């Protein structure tokens, strides 16, 4: 029963992170997804945020670790879905294709 709660919390965190990424303007989202440093900061923020919220319980610590793992999975799926901009010049197309007008 405890482990199911941890996995459900991880799924909720993944959906929350994906919605937050989807709310960003396309150019900002693509630059964030193209930067390895920004992606690692995003993973670390989700880990720290969840550790801060759930500090002191075994389930909370496990949930924070699962949130970190699902954050890596969420960013990988977002890169495939939205694409990313690498080096401020190279647009790697995802499943959604943006026009030049949308990226300006």
């Amino acid at each position: 029963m405890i482990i199911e709660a941890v996995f459900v919390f991880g799924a909720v965190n993944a959906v929350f992170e994906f919605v937050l990424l989807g709310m960003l303007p396309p150019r900002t989202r693509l630059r964030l997804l193209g930067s390895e440093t920004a992606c690692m900061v995003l993973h670390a923020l989700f880990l720290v945020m969840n550790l801060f919220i759930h500090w002191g319980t075994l389930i909370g610590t496990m949930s924070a670790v699962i949130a970190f793992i699902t954050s890596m999975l969420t960013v990988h799926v977002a890169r495939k879905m939205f694409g990313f901009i690498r080096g401020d010049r190279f647009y790697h197309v995802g499943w959604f294709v943006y026009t030049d007008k949308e990226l300006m």
Side-chain angles (χ1 to χ4, degrees):
M1 180 114 161
I2 293 173
I3 211 71
E4 290 100 6
V6 170
F7 287 133
V8 167
F9 189 71
V12 169
N13 272 319
V15 169
F16 176 67
E17 184 177 7
F18 196 75
V19 167
L20 285 179
L21 285 171
M23 290 173 59
L24 293 173
R27 185 174 179 182
T28 306
R29 179 183 328 127
L30 296 178
R31 287 178 188 266
L32 183 135
L33 292 173
S35 169
E36 290 183 24
T37 305
C39 288
M40 289 307 294
V41 167
L42 186 66
H43 301 325
L45 284 175
F46 265 84
L47 176 66
V48 168
M49 178 185 67
N50 283 295
L51 278 174
F52 180 74
I53 292 171
H54 298 288
W55 184 254
T57 63
L58 179 62
I59 296 173
T61 305
M62 290 189 319
S63 296
V65 171
I66 292 296
F68 177 73
I69 293 169
T70 58
S71 177
M72 288 187 282
L73 180 66
T74 303
V75 168
H76 179 73
V77 169
R79 286 175 64 123
K80 294 287 184 193
M81 182 173 278
F82 298 118
F84 56 96
I85 294 176
R86 175 77 37 113
D88 292 336
R89 293 183 4 196
F90 301 108
Y91 171 45
H92 296 270
V93 179
W95 297 335
F96 296 136
V97 179
Y98 295 104
T99 63
D100 291 338
K101 184 179 177 183
E102 291 174 308
L103 296 178
M104 293 283 174

